[in-house]
Amino acid sequence: MSDATAKREERRKFQAIRGTRDLLPPETELWNRVEQIAHEVFSTFGYGEIRTPILQMTDLFARSIGAETDVVAKEMYTFIDEMQGLPDPANFAVSPDEYVNSVEEGIKSNEIQVTNSNLRALARLKAELEMFRVRADGQSVEEAHLKFRIAASQIRFGDSISLEPEATASVCRAYIEHNMQQLPQPVKLYYMGPMFRRERPQKGRYRQFYQIGAEILGGTDAPAIDAEVIEMLMTFFDKCGLLGSTLYINSIGHNADNCRRGYVEKLRAALEKVKDKLGPDSQRRIDTNPLRVLDSKLESEQGIIATLPHIADHLCDECKTHYTAVKRQLELRGVLYQENWRLVRGLDYYMRTTFEITAPGLGSQNAVCGGGRYDGLVELLGGPPTKGIGFAIGEDRLILSLQESGKGQVPQGRDIYIAWMGEKAHATAIRAAKDLRSAGFSVELPPLEQKFGKALGHADKLGAKYALILGDNEVSEGLWTLKTLADGTQQKLTEADLLEFLRKQEKVSS
Ligand code: HAM
């Protein structure tokens, strides 16, 4: 390999990991703007920000999102966080009894969590200890100890940890952990941050993506709550300037024989009849989760799905009434919606209201937000019976849609470039930069002296609006030259007039 090729190879190693990406300026301005709008809008609805750790126990997601869902079964970034501080089982100086004792101590003191996998590992370890003690087949102590050391080194204790694939489960965990049911109810929380799912990357689908979400926990299941959550969401989209979005709603009832469970059985029976015409994914889902067949995007299945029974015809009376009232509440708030009986969502914790918002410019990954009600979730995670509803916006997709519709423009470039020449002018320039920045203007102050021509060229390239020209004359006269770069006009101003002038211009242009 030539040196040049070797160097290229080396460079190639350090790229963002597949499905992840760097967000760069000026685009990050737009991200900040969108996040700022979220902070503002959500706080007007009484929500406070929660920040949960990215690392959470794997079981939290398996329990809440559902072990059979794509997210949990295929897409989580999971690893074993091994227990630190145990003696090395491969070390001859540690006897098998001592090693097993230290593991048991770890479990007693909760340094090793009492999870199924740790208990299974302990049982395996104890079986190895027993074999060491019995020493079958005339093994010597040394041989038996060696065998134990090899086996014990492969039995691992620790916690299975995952990167958050979504935040609803984490927020519910935090609600329980911090006894938030003791606070005035409902508790309204919002969050923004990175989530991780090992999906096939494509436009609008990443392995590290960002969500802005909100959850309302512990209130009633009054339909006005569902409608207000959606109203807040649409207000946010509106403030962001998102155009052409569509809100789809549905009710998936609750898990009872006279409601969703009954419907699922009818759906399963209907699917069995057309099984041969379905693709392998849908065929599998007839057994695991027939509702998910309704999510299918396969062209060949669309005609068949259209003939399947609708959930709206199988809701119990309470869920039907709830759904009707949610629609009425949306109408009271002037929120436009379309009903979509196929909207079942891909996570197991939902009941009754589900919703999704699509936006243009996103290709096949056009869902910019998803959400719904999940009244049983907090209880499922070990908390008190608690009502809950919320949503999460895919921030990457929101930004993409804003950009595609031309609403994603962010002002670029500096306000003022200070072109200075000479020692004295440099000192004045440093002071001027400080004052202008503290007045809120963005200022580029070159670190080295440059000829004015070159400096103005640089100012142009950076997209500066003005060049402040400071040379010996300007400094001694106390009159500074301000050049408007768009039309080349120049004027002389005192320091005080300069600030006044810039402030006025800013008002005119904003
Ligand atoms: P979700 O539908 O899985 O719901 O995700 C919500 C949104 O996150 C999607 O509509 C999409 O915009 C975005 N999203 C999901 N996966 C990706 C990806 N791989 N790349 C880019 N964007 C993605 C939830 O996560 C629920 N926790 C929402 C919720 C909150 N329900 C109740 N409360």
Side-chain angles (χ1 to χ4, degrees):
M1 198 188 295
S2 74
D3 276 0
T5 323
K7 272 215 174 95
R8 260 207 314 277
E9 281 286 306
E10 250 169 45
R11 256 203 310 266
R12 263 225 310 265
K13 278 186 200 151
F14 299 106
Q15 286 179 338
I17 290 167
R18 193 168 128 79
T20 73
R21 62 207 179 114
D22 302 304
L23 303 172
L24 306 172
E27 193 185 295
T28 37
E29 281 276 322
L30 181 56
W31 284 72
N32 285 333
R33 195 160 76 195
V34 159
E35 287 167 14
Q36 191 51 38
I37 295 171
H39 289 298
E40 284 164 15
V41 171
F42 297 172
S43 72
T44 64
F45 282 78
Y47 284 68
E49 188 181 0
I50 179 168
R51 299 189 187 197
T52 54
I54 287 168
L55 294 174
Q56 301 278 344
M57 303 296 269
T58 304
D59 283 351
L60 173 68
F61 302 115
R63 179 91 66 91
S64 54
I65 299 172
E68 291 295 331
T69 57
D70 287 351
V71 172
V72 172
K74 303 190 220 159
E75 296 169 0
M76 289 213 294
Y77 286 90
T78 297
F79 60 94
I80 296 287
D81 189 14
E82 264 191 71
M83 156 78 189
Q84 312 266 308
L86 280 180
D88 179 2
N91 185 348
F92 254 127
V94 182
S95 78
D97 281 287
E98 276 170 347
Y99 182 67
V100 175
N101 275 345
S102 56
V103 169
E104 282 180 321
E105 281 304 312
I107 288 181
K108 247 190 242 147
S109 65
N110 220 13
E111 272 183 71
I112 300 176
Q113 303 250 352
V114 188
T115 59
N116 284 342
S117 80
N118 284 337
L119 293 178
R120 271 198 307 272
L122 179 62
R124 272 174 30 229
L125 189 66
K126 282 185 161 170
E128 292 297 335
L129 178 64
E130 206 39 46
M131 276 171 18
F132 165 76
R133 284 182 179 151
V134 174
R135 283 215 305 282
D137 306 331
Q139 270 177 339
S140 68
V141 177
E142 285 72 27
E143 279 168 345
H145 194 177
L146 182 65
K147 203 166 160 276
F148 176 86
R149 285 165 58 221
I150 293 170
S153 313
Q154 283 163 5
I155 299 174
R156 306 215 182 283
F157 292 92
D159 303 325
S160 178
I161 281 180
S162 297
L163 303 186
E164 267 188 335
E166 61 105 55
T168 308
S170 313
V171 171
C172 290
R173 196 253 323 124
Y175 178 87
I176 300 166
E177 191 169 331
H178 301 285
N179 281 322
M180 289 193 220
Q181 70 272 16
Q182 317 247 315
L183 301 174
Q185 305 291 304
V187 174
K188 301 174 177 185
L189 300 165
Y190 74 91
Y191 50 86
M192 46 187 79
M195 306 290 156
F196 303 84
R197 296 183 193 176
R198 198 190 281 107
E199 295 193 81
R200 196 169 45 78
Q202 66 180 93
K203 181 179 173 187
R205 197 208 263 154
Y206 310 99
R207 291 181 166 186
Q208 175 173 340
F209 60 100
Y210 294 80
Q211 283 188 343
I212 300 178
E215 314 291 347
I216 171 163
L217 289 156
T220 68
D221 57 5
I225 292 188
D226 306 44
E228 195 185 79
V229 164
I230 297 175
E231 180 192 2
M232 175 169 93
L233 178 60
M234 299 317 277
T235 307
F236 165 72
F237 280 146
D238 202 41
K239 288 248 154 82
C240 290
L242 184 71
L243 301 172
S245 64
T246 310
L247 163 68
Y248 294 98
I249 61 165
N250 191 21
S251 173
I252 58 166
H254 79 298
N255 200 14
D257 287 342
N258 66 342
C259 201
R260 186 173 61 230
R261 241 190 345 250
Y263 169 70
V264 168
E265 282 322 308
K266 287 200 177 76
L267 187 63
R268 185 173 275 135
L271 286 167
E272 281 294 350
K273 285 189 196 143
V274 292
K275 189 168 182 176
D276 297 348
K277 298 188 191 121
L278 298 171
D281 277 347
S282 292
Q283 285 190 357
R284 196 170 29 81
R285 286 180 173 144
I286 297 178
D287 293 326
T288 57
N289 191 350
L291 280 179
R292 290 302 310 282
V293 176
L294 305 181
D295 257 357
S296 160
K297 304 261 179 334
L298 264 190
E299 203 46 54
S300 60
E301 294 182 344
Q302 301 309 305
I304 305 165
I305 293 173
T307 65
L308 295 171
H310 287 207
I311 191 157
D313 302 328
H314 298 86
L315 293 179
C316 68
D317 287 346
E318 286 84 11
C319 288
K320 211 177 271 174
T321 309
H322 189 269
Y323 186 38
T324 308
V326 170
K327 288 185 277 185
R328 163 104 184 98
Q329 285 289 332
L330 286 172
E331 282 148 26
L332 282 177
R333 290 166 167 78
V335 176
L336 300 177
Y337 61 83
Q338 282 186 30
E339 290 183 75
N340 178 0
W341 71 276
R342 288 176 54 178
L343 184 63
V344 291
R345 312 269 305 125
L347 318 170
D348 280 359
Y349 48 63
Y350 291 112
M351 52 101 62
R352 289 194 170 164
T353 312
T354 54
F355 53 94
E356 232 167 62
I357 289 140
T358 61
L362 296 173
S364 63
Q365 301 304 312
N366 66 350
V368 77
C369 174
R373 181 166 276 288
Y374 48 84
D375 288 352
L377 182 54
V378 169
E379 204 175 349
L380 185 72
L381 295 175
T386 306
K387 312 282 182 202
I389 179 167
F391 62 78
I393 295 157
E395 194 177 355
D396 307 72
R397 295 185 191 176
L398 171 59
I399 299 282
L400 212 58
S401 185
L402 291 173
Q403 286 168 332
E404 298 268 325
S405 69
K407 287 274 177 182
Q409 258 105 33
V410 281
Q412 279 187 40
R414 316 289 188 278
D415 296 322
I416 303 147
Y417 186 101
I418 305 185
W420 59 269
M421 271 189 83
E423 274 299 293
K424 264 204 215 136
H426 193 193
T428 308
I430 291 169
R431 192 169 50 74
K434 194 169 182 173
D435 292 346
L436 287 165
R437 283 173 181 148
S438 69
F441 296 102
S442 82
V443 176
E444 186 66 25
L445 176 66
L448 297 174
E449 185 176 74
Q450 303 174 85
K451 297 244 158 60
F452 284 129
K454 196 165 170 211
L456 292 177
H458 192 206
D460 248 346
K461 270 194 205 137
L462 290 178
K465 281 192 216 137
Y466 302 100
L468 177 62
I469 300 173
L470 293 177
D472 287 345
N473 286 348
E474 278 81 4
V475 174
S476 54
E477 283 170 16
L479 279 177
W480 298 356
T481 304
L482 186 74
K483 184 172 175 133
T484 306
L485 290 167
D487 58 16
T489 54
Q490 260 179 225
Q491 54 190 312
K492 294 237 170 201
L493 297 162
T494 63
E495 194 175 341
D497 288 348
L498 172 79
L499 260 181
E500 180 95 343
F501 172 81
L502 289 170
R503 283 212 176 100
K504 265 197 205 135
Q505 292 300 308
E506 199 184 28
K507 269 202 193 121
V508 173
S509 62
S510 64

